[in-house]
Amino acid sequence: MDKELKNWYAKIGDARQRIEGYVRRTPLIAASPVKQELGRDWFLYLKLENLQIAGSFKARGATNKLMSIWNSEQERANLKGVGDGFGR
């Protein structure tokens, strides 16, 4: 694996750790009916971000961004309190 790809995977791992406990884990499912309809040997997966409280992927990205710029535990605790009502 080249250095750029390793760096990309590291960033994904960092983001995952930052948002853990703040957003729901959502399933990744194979879209077999769509694959059959296309008639090809493609792999198509759907990430069900509609199962987030707000119904979109935005909670994941916004939480990651805020957590990446805020350092103190107190600031993170404040974010948790605000995030609990996100999208309601």
Side-chain angles (χ1 to χ4, degrees):
M1 189 179 322
D2 69 6
K3 187 175 182 179
E4 186 175 330
L5 190 56
K6 284 182 183 179
N7 187 37
W8 188 73
Y9 278 122
K11 287 181 179 183
I12 291 172
D14 292 345
R16 182 179 180 189
Q17 287 179 338
R18 277 192 294 270
I19 67 173
E20 189 173 9
Y22 293 98
V23 296
R24 291 180 177 169
R25 290 188 69 170
T26 56
L28 182 68
I29 62 166
S32 299
V34 175
K35 180 182 173 185
Q36 291 169 357
E37 179 114 1
L38 293 173
R40 302 204 176 193
D41 254 355
W42 293 346
F43 294 98
L44 180 63
Y45 294 91
L46 303 173
K47 181 72 170 150
L48 301 184
E49 290 299 294
N50 58 312
L51 299 178
Q52 292 291 349
I53 292 172
S56 76
F57 65 92
K58 294 177 182 180
R60 187 176 303 280
T63 302
N64 180 49
K65 184 61 175 179
L66 289 172
M67 297 303 283
S68 69
I69 59 176
W70 286 353
N71 293 320
S72 81
E73 288 300 317
Q74 181 59 45
E75 289 170 329
R76 289 179 188 216
N78 291 340
L79 174 66
K80 173 94 171 102
V82 170
D84 286 342
F86 185 75
R88 290 187 186 177

